[in-house]
Amino acid sequence: RRSLGAVEEGTLVRRSSAETREKKTGEVHPSHSAATAAAPHSSSSSAPQSPWKYAHDVLFINPAGRLAIVAGTVGYAAMTVGMAPAPADMANLGYSDLAITGALQSHFVLMFLPGFFTGF
């Protein structure tokens, strides 16, 4: 079974668990030949990988990248669906323009204010 390895020289490297163990410990598994152990892992091309190709691999090939895209899309859609009609609903309930503006301003301030203290 091959797992997502580390980033080396701008390329995304896939390694088996045996290859990862060999890299960490320096020990070569007995089933590996001397030629395999001596040859370093190299990517299919010697040219450096472009940043766009690397970003594509991280976001679309890696399952965690796909999960992040789906989670971000769902979260953004939920916030948009909930917040877009809020000022109109407040106006229909009889709130003044000043109250609606204050509600939105306080929402934005309270949404971003923790970032100044937490760094996120």
Side-chain angles (χ1 to χ4, degrees):
R1 178 177 163 208
R2 298 185 82 71
S3 62
L4 188 59
V7 177
E8 290 181 1
E9 299 177 18
T11 60
L12 196 60
V13 179
R14 291 195 176 273
R15 288 200 177 94
S16 68
S17 58
E19 289 171 325
T20 304
R21 189 170 36 258
E22 287 172 12
K23 186 169 176 94
K24 287 181 182 174
T25 63
E27 298 174 3
V28 179
H29 193 272
S31 66
H32 288 203
S33 68
T36 304
H41 182 75
S42 63
S43 62
S44 59
S45 70
S46 61
Q49 188 177 24
S50 77
W52 294 109
K53 173 72 172 124
Y54 174 73
H56 173 270
D57 289 347
V58 169
L59 291 175
F60 299 109
I61 305 300
N62 187 358
R66 289 187 294 222
L67 177 63
I69 290 171
V70 170
T73 302
V74 169
Y76 189 79
M79 285 300 298
T80 302
V81 166
M83 291 302 296
D89 288 341
M90 289 178 73
N92 287 338
L93 291 172
Y95 289 97
S96 68
D97 289 342
L98 187 61
I100 295 170
T101 303
L104 290 175
Q105 287 176 342
S106 63
H107 172 77
F108 295 143
V109 167
L110 294 172
M111 185 172 62
F112 291 111
L113 188 64
F116 292 109
F117 302 104
T118 63
F120 293 107

